[in-house]
Amino acid sequence: MQQALNNRTGRLLYKLGLLAVIIVGGDFLLGKVLRYWYFKQESGLLYRTTYAMEVTHSDALIFGSSRANHHYHPAVMEQQLGMRTYNTGRDGNFIFYNTAVLKSILKRYTPKVILLDLDVYTFNESPENYDRLSALLPYYKTHEEIRDIVELKSPFEKIKLQSAVYPFNSLIFKIAVGNTEMNKSRKTDLNGYVALTTTYKNDIQEYNIEEKIDTQLVKSFTSFITSAKAAGSKVFVVVSPIYYQYKRSQTIGLARAICQNNRVTFWDYSRDTALQQHREWFADRAHLNDEGAQYFTKLIAEKIKQEEQQ
Amino acid sequence: MLFNSFEFLIFFPVVTLLYFLLPHRFRWLWLLASSCYFYMAFVPIYILILGFTIVVDYYAGIFIEKASGRKRKLFLVCSLVANIGVLAVFKYYNFINENISVLCQSLGVVNNIPYLSILLPIGLSFHTFQAMSYTIEVYRGNQKAERHFGIYSLYVMFYPQLVAGPIERPQNVLHQFREYHKFDYTKFIEGCKLLLWGFFMKVVVADRLSIYVDAIYNNPGEHNGTSLTIATFLFGIQIYCDFAGYSTIALGCAKVIGFELMTNFKRPYLATSPSGFWKRWHISLSTWFQDYLYIPLGGSRVKISRNCFNLFITFMVSGLWHGASWTFIIWGALNGLYLAGERLINEARKNGGILSRIQLPRVVATLITVLLISFGWIFFRANSTHDALLIMQKIFTTSGKPYLSDPSQLLFSLIGITVLFAYDLQNEFFVNKNILINNRNVVIRNVTYASIVLLILLIGVFDGGQFIYFQF
C-alpha cells in the first residue's frame, strides 16, 4: 500500500517536474528570441521607446502621451531653438511612462529643455494608467531605475517578470512587423513625432469627467518635474489645445499649483478659443493634425525662446 | 477573487494542499473558510446577505422536512420569498422603480419612490438559485434536510461555483462534502487540464475579443454594419469563452480536490437547433428553469399552444434572471420565440407535408442556429434597447470597411478561435482520438500543456478582464 502510494506520488512528481522543465525551458528560449528581436527593431512605436530610453542625446525632449507625440514637431523646435529635439510621447501612455523614460534618460545625460504635455484629465483615477505600464516591461530587467514605477502595475509584477515571455505579452506581431522594411514605410516618424493627417469634421462639444484624483499620478508628476529640475533641465509643462469644452479640471488646478511651487513654467491652452476656431487644425477632439501641430509647436518654441532670453 | 488573477494562482494551490493535508473532520471548515475569503475579496460586507439567505434556507429546510400539509408549503414559500426578496431588492428594485417612473410620467404623475444606490452583490443570482433548489428539493422529498449548518453553508458557498455557477442541485453536491476525498491522481490531472483549458478560453480568447467587441458596441453610432456584424459574431464567441471558461475552471478546481460538479457547456455552437443550443449552453441554469418553472407550468405534456407559451415564459424569465434590463428580457423572449417556432415546425413535420420531407444537412442546420443565436446576442450585449435597435438597423442597412484599429488584436483573436474550434470539433466528432492534450505519449502531452501555458503568456490578456457573468 505504502509502496503503491510512493510510486504514485513519485509518478506525479516526475510528471510535474517534466512539465515544469518543458515550460521553464520553453519560456526561457521563447523569451530570449523575443528579446533579441524586440531590441533589434529600428523603427516603429516600440523602437521609439528604446531610442528614447537608451539612445537619444537630444538637447530638447518632448514628453507626454499621444497628444505630445502628435502635437510637437521636432524640426520646428530645432529651427526655433537651435537645439536637437526628440519627441518621446507615446500613444496611450501617460505620466508613469513619462517619469520612467525621464529617469532612464537622466541616468545617461541631462537635456537642456524638457517639455511635458499634460492632458486635461491626466490625474483622473483609471486602471488603464497602471495596465499601460506594460509598455515598460521589456526594459524592467535592464533598467533598474524604472523598476519601482513598473511595480506599480500590480503587487505581483516582480514574480510575473520571472517569466522571460511575459514582458513581451501581446507584442509578437508588433515585433515581427518592427523587424521588416514594411514598418518603416507604414508610419514614418520625424525624431519621434508622428503626424496626423486627417481633419476633424464634428462641431465642438462639451466633454466632462467627474475626476477622482489618483494621488499616485500626482506623485509621479511631481517626481517628474522635481527630478528634471534637480538635474538642471529647464522644464515646461503644457496643456496643448483640445477641440472640446469642459467645465472643470482638477488636474489642471493641481498641476498648476505644483508647477508654481517648483517654479516651473506652466502654460494651459485647453481653453484657447483662438486655436479652437481652427477646426481644420484638429484630427479629432483631442489631437491636432500636422498643420495644427506645426503652428502650435512654433507658438510654444517662440515662448520657450522668450523665456530662455529673460 | 477573480479566477484569472494572480491572487488566485496563490490561493488555489494553498487551499488544495491544505485540504489534502488536513484530517477529514476539518476539511469542510477549511473549504468554508477559504470560500468566505474568496467571496470577501470582492465586497466583504456582502457576505452578510449570503449569510442571511443561508440561515433562512437552512432552517426552512429543517422545518419543511418536519412539517406536514400546508405548513410545509408555508415554510417553502417563506424561503422562496426571502431569496426572491433579496434578489428583488438588490437586482430588480431600481429597474422596477425606473419603469414605474416611466409609467407615472406618461400618466402625468410624479413618482416619489427613491432609488437605491447599491452595488449588486457578485453572483447573487447564482447562489440564490442554488439555495432555492435546495428548499424546493427538500419540499419535494428528493433531498433530506441538511442538519449540519457548516455543510449546508458550504453547499451555497463552495468557492469554485459560488459566483458564477454551475448552479448545482443538492442531490449532486451535498453528499460530496461529507465524503472523504483522498488524493486521486487521475482526478488531479483531469482537474488541472480543465483549469488550463478554462484559463485559455478566458484569457486568450474571451478577453482578447472583448477589446474589439467593446470598442464597437460601446459606440455603435460610430461604426458601420460590417463592423457591427463582425462584433456581434465575435461577441458570441467571447461570451462562450468567458462563461464556459469560468465554468471549466470551476469544474477543474473542484475536480482537483475530488469533487464532481455538473458540466455547464457542451460545445453549444455545434448545436443544430435552438433547443439543441440550450441543451448545451449554461446547462445548469437551463435545467434549473426546466425543473422548477417549465415543468410546473405544464412543460410539453400540454396542448401545443400552451407548450409554446410555457417555452416563451420560461425564456423570458431566464432573460430577466440575466439582468434587470429590457435588453435581457427581449433577448430571453427572442429565444423563447425560437424554441416555440422550432416546436411548431417539429409538430408540422410530424403531421407530414413538405416540412417532413426537408432534411437540412448538419452544417446548414448549425449555421442557421448560429445565426439565430447571434442575432439574439445583439440585445444581450447592447448597452440599451435604443443601441440594440440602432445596431440592428445599421447591420441591415449599412456596410463598409470593417473597423480595424490594431490588426494584431484580430490576429491574436484568430489564433485563439482556431485553437478553440479545433478543440471543440475534436471533442464533438473524434471523441476517442487523443491527438494532443490526451495523447498517450507523455512528451507530446506535456509539450501540449506547455504550449498552452506559453500561448497564454504570449497572447493572453492580463490587464482587467472581469467575467461577464459575475454581474448576474
Side-chain angles (χ1 to χ4, degrees):
Chain A
M1 173 74 182
Q2 189 61 39
Q3 201 183 353
L5 197 69
N6 286 343
N7 280 348
R8 238 181 298 153
T9 315
R11 195 162 56 125
L12 176 70
L13 289 176
Y14 165 73
K15 287 187 177 175
L16 286 178
L18 181 66
L19 180 62
V21 167
I22 296 174
I23 291 174
V24 172
D27 177 75
F28 177 77
L29 284 175
L30 191 56
K32 278 266 173 207
V33 172
L34 288 166
R35 180 167 287 277
Y36 173 75
W37 288 107
Y38 181 94
F39 286 101
K40 205 175 165 285
Q41 294 175 92
E42 285 179 357
S43 64
L45 178 85
L46 308 180
Y47 168 74
R48 290 202 293 274
T49 298
T50 309
Y51 184 85
M53 289 175 76
E54 299 181 349
V55 184
T56 186
H57 270 91
S58 297
D59 302 320
L61 290 176
I62 315 292
F63 287 86
S65 60
S66 58
R67 284 165 41 76
N69 186 250
H70 306 303
H71 290 190
Y72 301 91
H73 202 308
V76 178
M77 294 277 276
E78 279 176 20
Q79 211 176 15
Q80 297 291 320
L81 301 174
M83 288 181 193
R84 279 180 304 150
T85 307
Y86 189 78
N87 189 327
T88 75
R90 178 166 161 154
D91 291 1
N93 283 273
F94 301 92
I95 195 68
F96 289 143
Y97 173 83
N98 303 144
T99 311
V101 173
L102 177 74
K103 277 187 165 190
S104 289
I105 290 168
L106 291 180
K107 226 182 150 189
R108 292 190 289 112
Y109 78 103
T110 305
K112 287 180 188 153
V113 170
I114 285 176
L115 188 153
L116 172 66
D117 186 274
L118 272 194
D119 185 44
V120 177
Y121 300 123
T122 294
F123 298 152
N124 186 39
E125 202 178 84
S126 160
E128 279 187 5
N129 284 314
Y130 296 87
D131 292 346
R132 295 206 170 153
L133 279 169
S134 53
L136 295 167
L137 295 179
Y139 307 93
Y140 181 87
K141 209 174 160 185
T142 47
H143 290 258
E144 211 178 312
E145 69 280 1
I146 65 163
R147 287 186 186 163
D148 55 338
I149 297 176
V150 174
E151 283 163 18
L152 289 171
K153 193 170 183 294
S154 84
F156 306 106
E157 224 45 37
K158 231 178 188 171
I159 306 171
K160 288 183 195 171
L161 281 156
Q162 296 306 309
S163 157
V165 172
Y166 174 69
F168 306 98
N169 169 265
S170 302
L171 292 179
I172 189 164
F173 290 123
K174 281 199 177 93
I175 294 173
V177 172
N179 279 283
T180 60
E181 278 301 308
M182 181 179 99
N183 193 47
K184 287 180 186 165
S185 57
R186 213 166 50 111
K187 264 187 188 174
T188 46
D189 74 271
L190 302 156
N191 282 339
Y193 166 77
V194 177
L196 295 179
T197 49
T198 53
T199 307
Y200 195 49
K201 299 270 188 286
N202 299 346
D203 290 333
I204 197 157
Q205 281 179 342
E206 204 164 288
Y207 171 64
N208 293 301
I209 285 183
E210 195 57 52
E211 274 181 291
K212 206 173 165 194
I213 297 298
D214 182 341
T215 50
Q216 203 63 253
L217 293 167
V218 182
K219 263 190 211 167
S220 191
F221 171 73
T222 313
S223 156
F224 183 98
I225 56 169
T226 50
S227 46
K229 271 207 82 175
S233 302
K234 181 91 181 147
V235 185
F236 298 89
V237 177
V238 182
V239 183
S240 53
I242 46 175
Y243 200 68
Y244 61 84
Q245 288 161 342
Y246 63 94
K247 283 200 173 82
R248 190 167 164 256
S249 161
Q250 288 189 64
T251 295
I252 291 181
L254 275 167
R256 193 193 302 273
I258 294 165
C259 286
Q260 263 170 10
N261 287 343
N262 290 281
R263 292 167 184 245
V264 164
T265 312
F266 182 86
W267 293 321
D268 177 14
Y269 287 90
S270 62
R271 292 186 199 264
D272 192 304
T273 45
L275 284 159
Q276 281 176 347
Q277 275 170 6
H278 294 272
R279 187 171 60 182
E280 72 279 8
W281 285 348
F282 288 86
D284 55 52
R285 69 178 185 190
H287 299 101
L288 293 167
N289 58 24
D290 193 36
E291 200 188 339
Q294 301 238 15
Y295 175 86
F296 183 65
T297 312
K298 201 173 168 195
L299 180 86
I300 290 296
E302 277 168 4
K303 284 192 84 168
I304 292 175
K305 207 171 168 183
Q306 284 168 15
E307 283 265 324
E308 293 277 278
Q309 283 163 358
Q310 276 170 14
Chain B
M1 189 181 299
L2 290 171
F3 277 164
N4 60 333
S5 65
F6 202 81
E7 287 87 336
F8 184 74
L9 288 184
I10 298 167
F11 172 87
F12 173 68
V14 171
V15 171
T16 306
L17 188 69
L18 274 169
Y19 177 81
F20 285 119
L21 290 176
L22 281 169
H24 177 53
R25 64 180 186 281
F26 294 126
R27 284 182 175 181
W28 70 268
L29 190 60
W30 172 241
L31 279 183
L32 186 60
S34 310
S35 300
C36 287
Y37 178 78
F38 181 86
Y39 190 75
M40 288 169 77
F42 294 109
V43 184
I45 193 80
Y46 282 155
I47 198 147
L48 296 176
I49 300 160
L50 204 55
F52 166 74
T53 52
I54 287 172
V55 170
V56 169
D57 294 324
Y58 169 74
Y59 285 108
I62 294 171
F63 292 151
I64 290 168
E65 194 176 67
K66 279 184 183 167
S68 57
R70 276 188 173 183
K71 272 191 172 176
R72 275 172 73 80
K73 207 168 205 166
L74 183 72
F75 289 126
L76 174 69
V77 170
C78 285
S79 154
L80 297 183
V81 165
N83 284 296
I84 296 171
V86 169
L87 263 181
V89 171
F90 285 92
K91 191 166 177 174
Y92 300 107
Y93 176 88
N94 284 343
F95 173 64
I96 295 167
N97 200 8
E98 215 173 87
N99 283 287
I100 291 173
S101 290
V102 173
L103 194 71
C104 288
Q105 215 171 16
S106 65
L107 297 171
V109 186
V110 179
N111 173 23
N112 290 321
I113 307 169
Y115 282 89
L116 290 178
S117 71
I118 40 171
L119 270 176
L120 176 66
I122 283 169
L124 181 68
S125 303
F126 286 93
H127 48 75
T128 308
F129 266 43
Q130 180 149 326
M132 276 158 68
S133 79
Y134 166 76
T135 44
I136 296 171
E137 290 301 326
V138 173
Y139 175 78
R140 287 178 175 178
N142 298 330
Q143 173 67 43
K144 278 190 170 178
E146 178 56 59
R147 295 301 202 269
H148 192 303
F149 183 72
I151 297 280
Y152 176 72
S153 305
L154 199 49
Y155 163 72
V156 181
M157 292 197 64
F158 187 38
Y159 86 84
Q161 34 94 258
L162 172 60
V163 288
I167 303 167
E168 278 294 351
R169 304 304 132 78
Q171 299 94 315
N172 184 34
V173 179
L174 260 175
H175 66 92
Q176 294 192 52
F177 294 119
R178 293 190 173 280
E179 287 161 8
Y180 173 66
H181 298 276
K182 62 176 181 182
F183 179 79
D184 184 323
Y185 174 78
T186 317
K187 280 190 176 178
F188 181 84
I189 296 294
E190 284 303 314
C192 289
K193 280 185 200 172
L194 289 171
L195 276 166
L196 190 59
W197 184 244
F199 279 121
F200 177 85
M201 287 177 93
K202 169 67 183 160
V203 178
V204 176
V205 190
D207 288 349
R208 181 64 62 188
L209 290 175
S210 79
I211 297 170
Y212 186 81
V213 173
D214 289 353
I216 305 283
Y217 261 77
N218 290 339
N219 298 292
E222 302 289 321
H223 297 281
N224 60 37
T226 316
S227 305
L228 287 162
T229 308
I230 293 171
T232 302
F233 282 115
L234 292 183
F235 176 68
I237 302 170
Q238 181 202 336
I239 192 161
Y240 166 47
C241 289
D242 191 279
F243 192 23
Y246 185 94
S247 290
T248 310
I249 298 170
L251 259 67
C253 292
K255 201 160 206 161
V256 163
I257 51 172
F259 287 77
E260 294 288 347
L261 300 180
M262 69 192 291
T263 305
N264 220 8
F265 288 84
K266 281 185 187 163
R267 304 170 293 283
Y269 287 115
L270 296 176
T272 52
S273 63
S275 66
F277 177 86
W278 284 106
K279 282 180 186 137
R280 292 160 173 256
W281 180 279
H282 202 175
I283 300 164
S284 64
L285 181 72
S286 303
T287 51
W288 197 102
F289 276 115
Q290 180 185 301
D291 293 347
Y292 305 126
L293 182 63
Y294 177 67
I295 291 175
L297 281 172
S300 58
R301 292 180 178 179
V302 284
K303 271 187 182 175
I304 187 157
S305 55
R306 171 72 197 195
N307 182 212
C308 288
F309 174 76
N310 293 346
L311 283 166
F312 185 73
I313 289 295
T314 306
F315 272 88
M316 216 158 85
V317 176
S318 164
L320 191 62
W321 178 90
H322 280 84
S325 154
W326 282 105
T327 51
F328 289 113
I329 297 171
I330 296 169
W331 169 77
L334 198 61
N335 279 283
L337 283 178
Y338 292 161
L339 266 81
E342 188 187 330
R343 175 81 174 86
L344 290 171
I345 291 170
N346 286 342
E347 195 63 23
R349 284 162 71 101
K350 264 191 221 162
N351 297 335
I354 303 169
L355 282 173
S356 64
R357 289 196 293 275
I358 299 171
Q359 190 65 47
L360 289 176
R362 178 170 179 155
V363 66
V364 176
T366 303
L367 280 175
I368 292 172
T369 307
V370 169
L371 279 175
L372 289 171
I373 296 297
S374 300
F375 184 70
W377 290 135
I378 294 174
F379 287 95
F380 195 96
R381 175 60 186 84
N383 295 334
S384 63
T385 38
H386 171 266
D387 274 10
L389 295 173
L390 176 71
I391 291 163
M392 275 167 56
Q393 184 209 339
K394 284 193 130 186
I395 283 177
F396 292 112
T397 57
T398 62
S399 61
K401 266 190 179 176
Y403 168 76
L404 202 65
S405 71
D406 182 359
S408 60
Q409 295 292 356
L410 278 188
L411 282 168
F412 290 139
S413 303
L414 268 179
I415 294 173
I417 292 169
T418 308
V419 176
L420 172 81
F421 280 103
Y423 183 81
D424 272 6
L425 286 169
Q426 193 219 306
N427 284 335
E428 182 80 9
F429 299 111
F430 310 101
V431 188
N432 298 319
K433 289 238 165 111
N434 298 321
I435 303 166
L436 292 171
I437 206 161
N438 292 318
N439 197 292
R440 285 184 183 178
N441 186 313
V442 67
V443 177
I444 295 178
R445 224 167 42 230
N446 277 309
V447 168
T448 309
Y449 302 151
S451 303
I452 296 175
V453 172
L454 292 177
L455 210 52
I456 291 173
L457 279 171
L458 196 60
I459 65 169
V461 177
F462 294 115
D463 303 322
Q466 273 270 5
F467 286 92
I468 297 172
Y469 262 71
F470 274 19
Q471 63 187 291
F472 309 136

